[in-house]
Amino acid sequence: MKIVLSGIKPTGIPTLGNYLGALKNFVKLQNEMKEDEFFIFVADLHALTVPQDPKELRSHIRNLCALYLAVGLNPENLTLFIQSEVKEHVELGYLMQSLVYMGELERMTQYKDKKQKQVEGVSSALFTYPALMAADILLYDATYVPVGRDQMQHLELARTLAERFNHRFGDTFIVPQGIEPKQGTKITDLQNPTKKMDKSAENDKGCIYLLEDLNKIKKKIKSAVTDLDGCIRFDKENKPGISNLMTIYAAMSGMEIKEIESKYQGCGYKEFKEDVANIVVQEIEGIQKKYQEWIHSPQLDELLDQGREKAQHVACKKMEVIRQKMGYGR
Ligand code: AMP
Ligand code: TRP
């Protein structure tokens, strides 16, 4: 039995990018790996790396819990929990900070990007965030970590830290492997197709949120930025808008990009966008229905309580071993 683990930050309503880069892949893996155990959590401590409105944060945490289930995660072999409810993340996060080098953190492209965009003070937590992420993973001895492309660099660092720890203190951690989805590893903004679709984007016209009005979603797809070439062909460099829509279509339908190219040969952008909009809206509609059931169900809290107990149990045992190896405490 292997452990598959992943998390999402509750910094807003999850987007189509989160869905295709992460959530949909979690469900697919869960269906394929029935013998393995899934630890999926809400990374609320990570959300605090940038300023949050406390009320909104609370509601985003709950929304994300309900969404995890609404997209189809099966509670049977799932430990669903909220990161901050398991204090060991913070302890191991600190230990990882003692292990990671400044230079390694400075090389993280997400940090460099965010630092550039942020007008007011950049918190030190934003800088040390990959150490906490490594702790999230190593605490549970996860073998597989499904994430989108933007998280691969952080995952590499988690591997480095696991190896460094094992080398210094003896074999303790499993060195985790990242799993990227086949398609949808990076969904870009519909208005700005060279940028990642991000729930914290300033302009929401290019971003599709899983809980927004279905007509609005259709409109956003139909007004996605394309090019003047008029040909449905995958070319990220010269046709980023159309290529992004093709990626979305492929990830939604399970079709290969090549198949989409031949299916839409000679077809106009308008018709293609219409089809993309339909396939997206159809799937999101189903998710929204299930979301409404989960968000109002007392079973959600029951699952979160069970998840917390289970995660605490595993984390507590692991921390005992770690303290012993590192020699701090009594
Ligand atoms: P975040 O919203 O940054 O907490 O990301 C949660 C998960 O969604 C991570 O696995 C990311 O790699 C994935 N993700 C976020 N945005 C995108 C995107 N635009 N395309 C693909 N995957 C994404
Ligand atoms: N850093 C991830 C993100 O922003 C979320 C995350 C936190 C995560 N801890 C994790 C993902 C551990 C996988 C494993 O998307």
Side-chain angles (χ1 to χ4, degrees):
M1 190 202 65
K2 296 252 162 52
I3 306 286
V4 185
L5 172 140
S6 196
I8 296 183
K9 292 193 299 278
T11 44
I13 305 291
T15 67
L16 186 64
N18 292 129
Y19 181 59
L20 298 178
L23 291 162
K24 196 174 164 75
N25 200 31
F26 300 171
V27 178
K28 180 171 168 272
L29 290 172
Q30 208 190 17
N31 288 330
E32 289 166 2
M33 305 165 74
K34 292 213 162 41
E35 303 300 311
D36 299 303
E37 254 191 82
F38 283 70
F39 280 69
I40 302 286
F41 66 96
V42 174
D44 56 345
L45 295 174
H46 285 276
L48 299 172
T49 50
V50 293
Q52 297 293 333
D53 175 89
K55 265 206 192 120
E56 279 184 11
L57 178 61
R58 272 278 156 90
S59 88
H60 287 147
I61 291 171
R62 197 170 177 81
N63 293 348
L64 183 53
C65 294
L67 257 178
Y68 275 138
L69 296 157
V71 297
L73 280 174
N74 176 358
E76 245 166 61
N77 56 340
L78 173 69
T79 301
L80 180 67
F81 67 102
I82 296 170
Q83 181 194 27
S84 64
E85 293 184 359
V86 184
K87 306 290 182 231
E88 284 74 11
H89 287 252
V90 182
E91 185 172 350
L92 187 56
Y94 175 73
L95 301 178
M96 288 296 138
Q97 282 185 44
S98 76
L99 224 63
V100 71
Y101 307 134
M102 297 284 283
E104 287 171 324
L105 293 173
E106 275 158 8
R107 275 199 293 278
M108 295 293 119
T109 52
Q110 192 176 65
Y111 167 71
K112 287 195 270 188
D113 283 357
K114 288 200 175 173
K115 187 174 80 167
Q116 247 179 9
K117 275 193 227 141
Q118 202 153 322
V119 220
E120 274 177 47
V122 173
S123 75
S124 61
L126 188 67
F127 183 62
T128 55
Y129 154 110
L132 181 59
M133 177 161 163
D136 299 337
I137 299 167
L138 304 182
L139 195 50
Y140 299 95
D141 283 323
T143 299
Y144 300 114
V145 182
V147 282
R149 169 83 34 98
D150 64 317
Q151 292 301 320
M152 275 301 167
Q153 199 186 21
H154 296 154
L155 196 94
E156 276 304 315
L157 188 60
R159 291 169 57 88
T160 303
L161 294 179
E163 281 163 358
R164 188 170 299 156
F165 191 105
N166 289 347
H167 183 69
R168 273 194 207 165
F169 303 105
D171 248 3
T172 310
F173 294 125
I174 289 187
V175 181
Q177 291 170 35
I179 310 187
E180 277 189 60
K182 211 166 115 245
Q183 302 284 0
T185 184
K186 186 176 173 192
I187 303 299
T188 59
D189 189 288
L190 299 175
Q191 291 298 320
N192 201 346
T194 53
K195 293 246 162 68
K196 163 181 147 175
M197 185 184 280
D198 192 351
K199 44 179 142 58
S200 10
E202 313 93 68
N203 181 356
D204 76 351
K205 269 177 83 182
C207 187
I208 291 177
Y209 301 96
L210 294 179
L211 297 178
E212 81 182 319
D213 177 74
L214 298 174
N215 283 322
K216 228 167 143 188
I217 296 181
K218 270 195 181 156
K219 262 198 205 136
K220 283 182 179 178
I221 294 178
K222 286 182 188 166
S223 49
V225 168
T226 49
D227 52 65
L228 295 172
D229 167 48
C231 173
I232 296 163
R233 185 168 48 81
F234 193 86
D235 178 351
K236 256 192 178 157
E237 195 102 328
N238 301 306
K239 297 163 68 66
I242 276 294
S243 303
N244 187 39
L245 291 174
M246 292 176 81
T247 304
I248 294 174
Y249 192 92
M252 278 288 180
S253 64
M255 273 167 82
E256 299 287 336
I257 294 286
K258 284 267 164 286
E259 289 177 73
I260 298 170
E261 276 177 349
S262 40
K263 180 173 174 191
Y264 288 96
Q265 207 177 17
C267 181
Y269 286 171
K270 191 160 170 254
E271 195 183 330
F272 179 57
K273 281 180 171 177
E274 192 105 8
D275 284 5
V276 177
N278 284 335
I279 199 166
V280 169
V281 163
Q282 204 181 16
E283 194 150 326
I284 293 186
E285 192 176 14
I287 293 171
Q288 292 187 355
K289 274 200 191 121
K290 293 219 182 78
Y291 170 83
Q292 286 307 330
E293 291 166 20
W294 277 109
I295 197 82
H296 300 300
S297 156
Q299 211 197 333
L300 181 60
D301 276 306
E302 281 165 28
L303 283 174
L304 289 173
D305 288 346
Q306 285 165 17
R308 180 191 57 210
E309 298 301 314
K310 174 81 190 283
Q312 275 176 348
H313 178 76
V314 177
C316 230
K317 267 179 51 191
K318 190 76 192 177
M319 275 316 302
E320 271 171 34
V321 175
I322 297 166
R323 285 184 204 113
Q324 191 71 32
K325 297 237 174 174
M326 289 184 85
Y328 71 98
R330 233 197 260 200

